[in-house]
């Protein structure tokens, strides 16, 4: 029951890149290159923690909630670390919250795909060969 980590990680990083650029760059005018590297860093960390550990042990809903918290904290932290000038009405917490909400929605469907893909692959390997 092996997972193609390259394919799964590529899908996850691509989806997160779209989310982070849409929310942070288009929504809050964070430079696209900051949104891009934050999405990549968050994606690798969330894949290791959320998808490889929490999802396997506790299921989709718990992994989605864990990803929400992880994305919120990491996004807030990386934005705080950058400490660039923001509009007066923007805050790192709101930016991180909006990003985490949209990411959690995307992660829920990614987790469903990942679990379904693992099940399908396990079924293929479990069938006896008809040679």
């Amino acid at each position: 029951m092996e997972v193609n980590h390259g394919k799964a990680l590529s899908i996850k990083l691509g989806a997160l890149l779209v989310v982070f650029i849409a929310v942070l760059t288009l929504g809050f005018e964070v430079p696209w290159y900051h949104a891009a590297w934050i999405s990549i860093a968050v994606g690798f960390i969330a894949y290791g923690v959320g998808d490889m550990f929490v999802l396997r042990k506790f299921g989709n809903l718990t992994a989605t909630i864990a990803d929400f918290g992880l994305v919120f904290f990491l996004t807030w932290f990386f934005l705080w670390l950058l400490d660039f000038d923001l509009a007066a009405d923007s805050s790192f917490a709101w930016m991180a919250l909006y990003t985490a909400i949209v990411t959690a929605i995307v992660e829920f469907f990614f987790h469903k795909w990942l679990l379904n893909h693992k099940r399908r692959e396990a079924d293929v390997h479990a069938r006896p060969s008809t040679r």
Side-chain angles (χ1 to χ4, degrees):
M1 186 164 87
E2 282 296 310
V3 176
N4 183 339
H5 294 291
K7 180 178 180 180
L9 197 54
S10 296
I11 291 169
K12 181 181 189 87
L13 291 177
L16 290 182
L17 183 63
V18 170
V19 168
F20 276 65
I21 288 179
V23 174
L24 294 178
T25 300
L26 300 178
F28 293 101
E29 298 178 3
V30 172
W32 68 268
Y33 46 88
H34 288 314
W37 80 258
I38 292 171
S39 74
I40 292 168
V42 168
F44 276 110
I45 294 167
Y47 187 75
V49 174
D51 301 334
M52 294 295 99
F53 177 72
V54 178
L55 181 62
R56 289 181 178 191
K57 298 281 185 189
F58 302 106
N60 191 2
L61 184 60
T62 304
T64 301
I65 293 168
D67 279 337
F68 172 83
L70 187 65
V71 169
F72 175 80
F73 173 74
L74 289 173
T75 303
W76 173 83
F77 175 73
F78 287 134
L79 289 170
W80 172 79
L81 203 66
L82 292 172
D83 195 24
F84 55 88
D85 292 332
L86 294 173
D89 60 345
S90 296
S91 77
F92 298 141
W94 283 114
M95 295 164 73
L97 179 65
Y98 291 134
T99 305
I101 289 169
V102 176
T103 300
I105 294 166
V106 170
E107 285 289 334
F108 179 80
F109 292 105
F110 174 73
H111 293 159
K112 286 180 80 162
W113 172 83
L114 193 58
L115 290 170
N116 188 34
H117 181 72
K118 283 173 41 180
R119 253 186 243 113
R120 240 183 296 131
E121 204 165 293
D123 289 344
V124 167
H125 292 301
R127 290 186 191 138
S129 180
T130 57
R131 292 185 210 188

